[in-house]
Amino acid sequence: MDSQTSRSLFRNQLFGALRPEDRALLGPELEYVQLRERFILEPPNKPVEHVYFIEHGVASVVAVNADDIRLEAGVVGFEGMTGMAVVLGSLRSPHLTNMQLAGDARRIRADALRTALHNSPTLHHTLLKYAQAFMTQTAHTALANGRAKLEVRLARWILMAHDRMDGDEVPLTHEFLSVMLGVRRAGVTVALHGFEKAGLIATRRGKITVTDRVGMERLAGCFYGVPEAELRRLLSESVAGVPMPA
């Protein structure tokens, strides 16, 4: 199988950004899996067993404290991977990672990925670039949570989910959005009704359809776009084969 064919078999953008020899290194260790909604990819404070290259669906990285208070810290779709702790040289994370929208992925055992990272500096370099992009996303999530109004945070979150869908429909409930944003369900419902009245979205039970993407981006304003641009920059550098630092 040539490198172009190997690349075309995977929807995941991060995997596609790897050098052909690194895709070949990981390929035999990857296992295709279907992922149902709420499936736990990484429980908090336990060793990471598998790292997932998402192909369809959206995974949510959720900060959880001792009182089981939860708030979403980041999302992963077909642009990236789970298992940042493994890439950064750790065994576990204090965060919960689960599927918020069902899909599928290619997964690799954490120990197999560690071996591959040890054997390939170029693989490690590219995955560290993605880790940088993901940390940018979590930092801007914190910025939005601390400084943006509910309507802006909600618009940003819908845009991030929309980015990771094949079409304009995003299967999200008001209850789920309230948990992810750490706000009351009633506030989410009021905000969504406002979006629909403004012609930005259409809603029906358990589903949101984005009808005016430009308008949603305008509403999210400066709280959306920086992490997305950083991810594109870092992945394009990887595809272009930017030399590793000495």
Side-chain angles (χ1 to χ4, degrees), residues 3-239:
S3 62
Q4 183 62 37
T5 300
S6 175
R7 179 173 172 175
S8 68
L9 291 175
F10 294 85
R11 184 171 186 262
N12 185 276
Q13 293 178 347
L14 177 59
F15 189 85
L18 298 178
R19 296 187 180 197
E21 56 269 31
D22 290 330
R23 292 197 299 271
L25 181 64
L26 295 183
E29 302 291 342
L30 291 172
E31 171 191 17
Y32 173 79
V33 289
Q34 292 187 324
L35 302 169
R36 67 183 183 277
E37 184 179 340
R38 298 185 182 178
F39 177 78
I40 296 177
L41 307 175
E42 295 177 24
N45 300 308
K46 293 186 177 181
V48 177
E49 295 185 358
H50 292 92
V51 171
Y52 295 80
F53 291 87
I54 305 293
E55 297 200 331
H56 299 89
V58 179
S60 180
V61 179
V62 181
V64 185
N65 71 6
D67 292 332
D68 200 36
I69 297 173
R70 303 183 176 204
L71 187 66
E72 184 176 69
V75 296
V76 181
F78 66 86
E79 82 291 346
M81 63 183 288
T82 66
M84 288 301 97
V86 176
V87 175
L88 296 173
S90 184
L91 297 176
R92 65 189 68 193
S93 167
H95 305 315
L96 165 71
T97 302
N98 62 4
M99 292 299 293
Q100 61 181 222
L101 300 177
D104 53 36
R106 308 279 173 168
R107 74 179 185 183
I108 183 172
R109 298 187 326 278
D111 58 349
L113 180 59
R114 290 188 189 96
T115 298
L117 293 173
H118 176 76
N119 292 333
S120 174
T122 57
L123 173 64
H124 201 183
H125 184 61
T126 299
L127 297 191
L128 283 173
K129 284 185 175 182
Y130 174 71
Q132 176 183 337
F134 185 76
M135 287 188 289
T136 301
Q137 182 198 134
T138 60
H140 279 256
T141 296
L143 180 64
N145 288 342
R147 294 295 185 181
K149 296 180 180 178
L150 168 59
E151 292 80 4
V152 173
R153 293 171 56 202
L154 181 58
R156 175 181 181 267
W157 199 97
I158 292 173
L159 286 169
M160 292 171 65
H162 186 235
D163 287 341
R164 293 160 174 83
M165 296 288 101
D166 288 325
D168 291 327
E169 190 174 87
V170 185
L172 296 169
T173 65
H174 295 199
E175 180 66 28
F176 184 83
L177 286 167
S178 69
V179 172
M180 290 300 98
L181 293 173
V183 298
R184 295 175 60 245
R185 176 177 174 174
V188 170
T189 299
V190 170
L192 289 175
H193 286 168
F195 291 178
E196 190 161 25
K197 186 175 181 180
L200 302 175
I201 63 171
T203 63
R204 59 189 179 93
R205 187 174 181 82
K207 295 185 185 298
I208 296 171
T209 301
V210 177
T211 55
D212 183 356
R213 169 81 191 199
V214 173
M216 288 291 286
E217 291 184 5
R218 188 179 301 115
L219 178 58
C222 62
F223 290 97
Y224 172 82
V226 173
E228 290 71 24
E230 182 72 351
L231 176 64
R232 288 192 296 270
R233 180 182 73 83
L234 292 168
L235 289 185
S236 65
E237 283 185 359
S238 297
V239 172

